[in-house]
Amino acid sequence: MRTVLSALGGWLPPLLVHLLIGVPAALAILCTRWYIAYGHCEYDDLDRPDLDGCTYNQIEDGGFALIAMIMFGTLVFLLLLLFDVLRPLYTGRSLKPRLLTLPALLIPYVVFVMNGGW
């Protein structure tokens, strides 16, 4: 048991941090998906028969989705920049464990979608 923990010791902290950063990354992806689907809706589109699905709620929520997408995307970018680039360069540690666990960022989004999420 001690050898397994010592082997995972260098990989476990970056994996956990990337899983935590994955939560705002999942929110940014969901906001982006919503904005792509309904962000084109404007008040002029309500009278057009070719744009079905545009409602008042979607028109009014488009600005919120865009702002949330930009905020969550910026937060994820800054967290990744600090954790994966600047901190290892400052401390002189290897980038390998952090870059190999980087795909764990998408795990919260994948779990949400696999459980029947939007």
Side-chain angles (χ1 to χ4, degrees), residues 1-17 83 87 93-94 96-98 101:
M1 183 69 179
R2 191 175 275 278
T3 58
V4 172
L5 289 177
S6 63
L8 290 177
W11 301 90
L12 199 55
L15 178 66
L16 292 175
V17 170
F83 182 73
R87 187 169 177 227
R93 293 185 181 215
S94 173
K96 186 178 177 183
R98 295 169 192 266
T101 59

Side-chain angles (χ1 to χ4, degrees), residues 19-99:
L19 285 173
L20 289 175
I21 295 174
V23 173
L27 292 173
I29 293 171
L30 290 173
C31 287
T32 304
R33 285 182 59 187
W34 188 93
Y35 194 76
I36 288 171
Y38 304 111
H40 66 277
C41 295
E42 295 180 2
Y43 286 110
D44 297 336
D45 296 332
L46 289 172
D47 297 332
R48 294 178 56 188
D50 59 336
L51 284 177
D52 57 336
C54 286
T55 64
Y56 283 107
N57 290 337
Q58 292 166 348
I59 293 170
E60 292 172 356
D61 293 340
F64 173 74
L66 181 62
I67 291 170
M69 177 179 59
I70 291 170
M71 286 178 51
F72 284 124
T74 304
L75 175 68
V76 169
F77 175 75
L78 289 175
L79 288 173
L80 287 176
L81 182 68
L82 287 172
F83 182 73
D84 286 337
V85 179
L86 297 178
R87 187 169 177 227
L89 289 177
Y90 180 72
T91 60
R93 293 185 181 215
S94 173
L95 292 174
K96 186 178 177 183
R98 295 169 192 266
L99 295 180

